[in-house]
Amino acid sequence: MGIATINPATGETVKTFEPLSTEEIEAKLTIAQTAFLSYRQTSFSQRSEWLNTAADILERDQVKLGETMTLEMGKTIKSAIAEVQKCALVCRYYAENGADFLKDVLVTTDASLSFVRYEPLGIILAVMPWNFPLWQVFRFVAPTLTAGNVGLLKHASNVPQCALAIEAILTEAGFPDGVFQTLLIGASQVENIINDDRVKAATLTGSEPAGISLASNAGKQIKKVVLELGGSDPFIVLESADVETAATTAVTSRMLNNGQSCIAAKRFIVVDAIADQFEKLLVQKFQYLKVGHPMDETIDVGPLATSSILSDIDEQVQKTVAMGGKVLVGGKKLESQGNFYLPTILTDIPKGSPGEKDEFFGPVALLFRVKNIDEAITLANDSPFGLGSSVWTNNSKEQERLINEIEAGSVFINGLVKSDPRLPFGGIKRSGYGRELAIQGIHEFVNIKTIWIK
């Protein structure tokens, strides 16, 4: 795919961009390395000031930035503006807490003085996806720049204007030249950057194949990588749950970002005792969803980001149905211009079908019935992924079991799975490794140096 803005609501190619040449990439790497040598000496208070200014700019320009995201990848305008606001939040969080997270930690040993010091590594490459074009980047930017590193961004090829806007925000905020640069490049150009000795580590949010490729190349260079990959999150509803609230939250979670979120609930696992009630509510709520142009503030679900994503999700649905799955609502493309897919619920999911274990990246809910909590846990864990999980029960013993036994990077009880700057974010199994956000996220890309003095 070329580097271009293609409106997913209309299919119109709005603007195209030429990828950087080898010489242009080399120039940017040189600038980044020079910038790091001086930037690492700046004070935490100065970095915090620049981050707070970036937050001010994000809040000032939230509508314009939201419109750019909606234009490029189709998220509803109301969710796009909320995303910009969340980016400001993560900037302020690290501006306030970064110095404490990175202060020396005294340790009593046989030395006269021993402590741990956190030092920046250098240039960190971020390979980021299109589905949250600003948030995914700022949750990397805020801790990475706070720690004294500098960043290079290889953004998804369908959100180039978002990528350029992020660099412009940080430049206007006062960060020195070269501290953060956007590289408009294709995927094939990433390996040479990873191989460059000046690049010390990388982070990727995206597909499993992209993560495998980046991690393999980085591994050959003995360079650290943080990966946040796919998810097929379970949403477990047990008998003691508030079924109405669970169903309402289920719709919100599945339709998040037009169904294109790694931590959206995808597999709805419901015990037989309340399954009929939950299914009826879910179908009703899906039928009420309004699909249409994402710039319309009344719309619930906009288009999928690209025509290939639309084709992929429809192929998964049709194959699952052909193998015996049942469509409760939706199940087809919207007959209109743009990449629209009707909100869909599938049940009676057959073994071996895409619906059993594949990630569905679109507005499709997979509904499973189980007899009890034992079957629910077994089914939830029968997945190659382990990112998030949402479980609904008011029984404290069941809550404790689910906390301990669900194989995932997070367990949310009676609530929507979400990322929060104050909590570490990431997964296990084929959902990746490492953590973003919170104190754990800022420690991923630092040299944790032991100091011992006699």
Side-chain angles (χ1 to χ4, degrees), residues 310-389:
L310 177 65
S311 297
D312 288 346
I313 195 75
D314 188 52
E315 181 180 346
Q316 288 175 304
V317 169
Q318 302 313 323
K319 188 173 181 180
T320 300
V321 172
M323 294 177 70
K326 179 182 177 183
V327 178
L328 296 179
V329 63
K332 61 183 180 179
K333 303 175 186 178
L334 189 64
E335 296 301 324
S336 67
Q337 188 180 44
N339 306 324
F340 294 93
Y341 202 81
L342 288 173
T344 297
I345 302 172
L346 300 181
T347 191
D348 297 339
I349 311 297
K351 290 282 187 182
S353 70
E356 183 189 13
K357 292 187 180 179
D358 290 358
E359 178 179 24
F360 277 53
F361 220 62
V364 178
L366 306 166
L367 183 60
F368 300 83
R369 294 179 179 231
V370 293
K371 293 179 181 177
N372 51 43
I373 187 173
D374 296 320
E375 287 191 5
I377 292 171
T378 298
L379 181 56
N381 290 339
D382 187 20
S383 169
F385 301 106
L387 191 54
S389 59

Side-chain angles (χ1 to χ4, degrees), residues 85-158:
Q85 295 167 346
K86 192 171 182 179
C87 293
L89 179 67
V90 76
C91 288
R92 297 200 192 282
Y93 175 76
Y94 281 103
E96 180 179 349
N97 296 290
D100 284 339
F101 291 161
L102 296 168
K103 66 185 179 183
D104 291 347
V105 178
L106 294 176
V107 180
T108 302
T109 68
D110 58 335
S112 302
L113 175 66
S114 53
F115 59 93
V116 177
R117 175 161 292 173
Y118 300 102
E119 295 183 343
L121 297 177
I123 300 173
I124 313 297
L125 172 67
V127 180
M128 292 287 118
W130 47 264
N131 58 337
F132 293 93
L134 263 66
W135 168 244
Q136 302 280 13
V137 179
F138 272 96
R139 76 184 194 192
F140 155 77
V141 162
T144 301
L145 299 192
T146 297
N149 297 303
V150 302
L152 295 176
L153 170 65
K154 188 281 180 217
H155 218 326
S157 295
N158 59 326

Side-chain angles (χ1 to χ4, degrees), residues 241-292:
D242 179 336
V243 179
E244 173 71 42
T245 303
T248 300
T249 306
V251 178
T252 301
S253 180
R254 191 64 201 95
M255 294 301 125
L256 182 67
N257 210 34
N258 305 334
Q260 302 164 120
S261 171
C262 295
I263 56 169
K266 299 185 176 80
R267 295 179 297 139
F268 297 86
I269 301 168
V270 188
V271 293
D272 286 334
I274 45 90
D276 287 343
Q277 180 188 1
F278 182 86
E279 179 182 300
K280 181 179 179 181
L281 287 168
L282 198 65
V283 169
Q284 289 176 346
K285 293 174 187 296
F286 266 52
Q287 290 172 332
Y288 291 147
L289 292 169
K290 189 175 179 182
V291 180

Side-chain angles (χ1 to χ4, degrees), residues 8-20:
T10 65
E12 174 195 4
T13 299
V14 178
K15 193 172 184 179
T16 60
F17 298 81
E18 284 296 318
L20 296 176

